[in-house]
Amino acid sequence: MASLSGEVGGIQMANPVLLAAGILGTTGASLKRAARAGAGGVVTKSVGSIPRDGHRGPTVVQVEGGLLNAMGLPNPSYTNFQEEIDIGREGGAPVVASIFGSGPQEFEEVAEGLDADGFELNLSCPHAERYGAEIGCEACKVEAITRAVKGSVSVPVWVKLTPNVADVIGLGLAAQRGGADAVVAINTLKAMAIDVESGRPILGNRFGGLSGPAIKPVAMRCVFDLASALEIPVIGVGGVASWQDAAEMIMAGAAGVQVGTALGRAEGYGIFRSISEGLSNYLDRKGMALAELKGLARRFS
Ligand code: SIN
């Protein structure tokens, strides 16, 4: 079987298929379960400096082509989260803490308060006032926040970017200037759904973030653009649901892929192993190494 092990964003992993930040990363038990099911690494739900209940419901709705969510960054705060990371680590895969804040100081406080194998800076949630994409769409803030966290921790720092901008490369370059070890592309696309009978927006927050198959081509384009422009690795996320999707993302230039919404499908956690096995079989069939797949599509540009 072709080997899938290697570094993803500065972290050694058994394979490049990771659990994406999201609802399954709220507990140590689910992080551990994803790791034991074959994820090469697991990313927690985003954690901030103070406990938050999140937006009022409904917070998730199924729409054509994926899921629309506006959870509103609910979390128990970093002071109540270390145990979940420790339990997650029992699964045997690196645990990356997704963190958020309103500026460099808050990000730094959260990062310094957690012991994780890496940090993923959420500069991209499309529906939280003062957080996420509200600050992550400004290159100077992305750079300053990345630099602050990088200066305060000794583990790799990834920056999760928003696709809801005209120039995602500009944001990637800002993260790179700030010292990021990798960028993660993409977070959800800002979107909404309306109930036709009542005329009411369905989500309690009106707007939310679209994930799932509908956003895969957007993610692919962002990964391709970023991998062409940056020197640091790009980790692809958005609509990955099969080994073919993962292969496509790696061909666009991704060093690893994250799986989120697809975990809601019937195979559940089994998706990690089926993607890894599919990738490995594909490499065997083609007589290729994983490194040869990376960025393959860029040869045709
Ligand atoms: C949420 O908690 O609202 C989702 C987080 C995100 O989209 O980054």
Side-chain angles (χ1 to χ4, degrees):
M1 291 278 269
S3 167
L4 297 180
S5 68
E7 266 201 7
V8 178
I11 305 176
Q12 186 64 33
M13 295 189 190
N15 71 70
V17 187
L18 285 70
L19 171 72
I23 33 182
L24 279 176
T26 52
T27 67
S30 53
L31 293 166
K32 180 160 96 176
R33 199 163 160 209
R36 292 216 166 134
V42 293
V43 185
T44 71
K45 171 83 183 143
S46 298
V47 183
S49 64
I50 48 167
R52 274 172 68 95
D53 291 335
H55 294 318
R56 73 187 152 95
T59 53
V60 184
V61 58
Q62 189 146 18
V63 293
E64 209 180 349
L67 279 187
L68 199 49
N69 93 79
M71 308 286 294
L73 298 170
N75 78 98
S77 95
Y78 73 92
T79 54
N80 297 302
F81 199 70
Q82 187 58 49
E83 193 185 352
E84 307 304 333
I85 295 176
D86 294 340
I87 294 170
R89 276 177 165 152
E90 291 169 11
V95 178
V96 174
S98 169
I99 61 171
F100 69 92
S102 57
Q105 270 187 346
E106 201 175 341
F107 266 96
E108 225 179 291
E109 177 192 336
V110 179
E112 280 175 351
L114 289 172
D115 172 20
D117 301 304
F119 288 98
E120 181 178 283
L121 312 187
N122 183 343
L123 284 163
S124 43
C125 173
H127 47 73
E129 216 177 310
R130 295 191 308 119
Y131 298 118
E134 261 193 28
I135 49 178
C137 63
E138 289 180 57
C140 58
K141 290 189 178 161
V142 170
E143 183 176 343
I145 289 166
T146 308
R147 182 165 290 121
V149 177
K150 238 342 238 187
S152 64
V153 298
S154 55
V155 292
V157 174
W158 303 347
V159 178
K160 189 165 182 180
L161 301 174
T162 176
N164 302 302
V165 288
D167 178 21
V168 74
I169 295 177
L171 297 181
L173 289 169
Q176 182 171 279
R177 280 195 303 276
D181 295 276
V183 293
V184 181
I186 56 176
N187 205 319
T188 53
L189 284 155
K190 190 169 183 178
M192 78 181 297
I194 295 168
D195 173 63
V196 174
E197 286 305 317
S198 63
R200 286 175 75 96
I202 295 175
L203 292 173
N205 186 58
R206 290 190 299 158
F207 305 113
L210 179 65
S211 60
I215 74 165
K216 194 187 91 180
V218 180
M220 213 58 73
R221 184 266 303 169
C222 290
V223 168
F224 187 93
D225 276 353
L226 287 161
S228 307
L230 304 189
E231 280 155 30
I232 56 175
V234 180
I235 297 164
V237 54
V240 175
S242 65
W243 70 262
Q244 290 93 335
D245 296 335
E248 196 181 336
M249 203 69 109
I250 294 167
M251 286 172 175
V257 300
Q258 295 183 352
V259 181
T261 301
L263 278 149
R265 295 183 342 166
E267 67 189 319
Y269 288 94
I271 197 167
F272 295 110
R273 211 147 266 144
S274 74
I275 292 181
S276 290
E277 285 175 3
L279 265 180
S280 219
N281 290 337
Y282 174 77
L283 292 170
D284 285 344
R285 182 157 54 82
K286 294 278 185 186
M288 289 171 83
L290 183 62
E292 293 173 89
L293 204 62
K294 190 165 164 269
L296 193 67
R298 290 172 33 219
R299 288 210 209 133
F300 300 94
S301 44

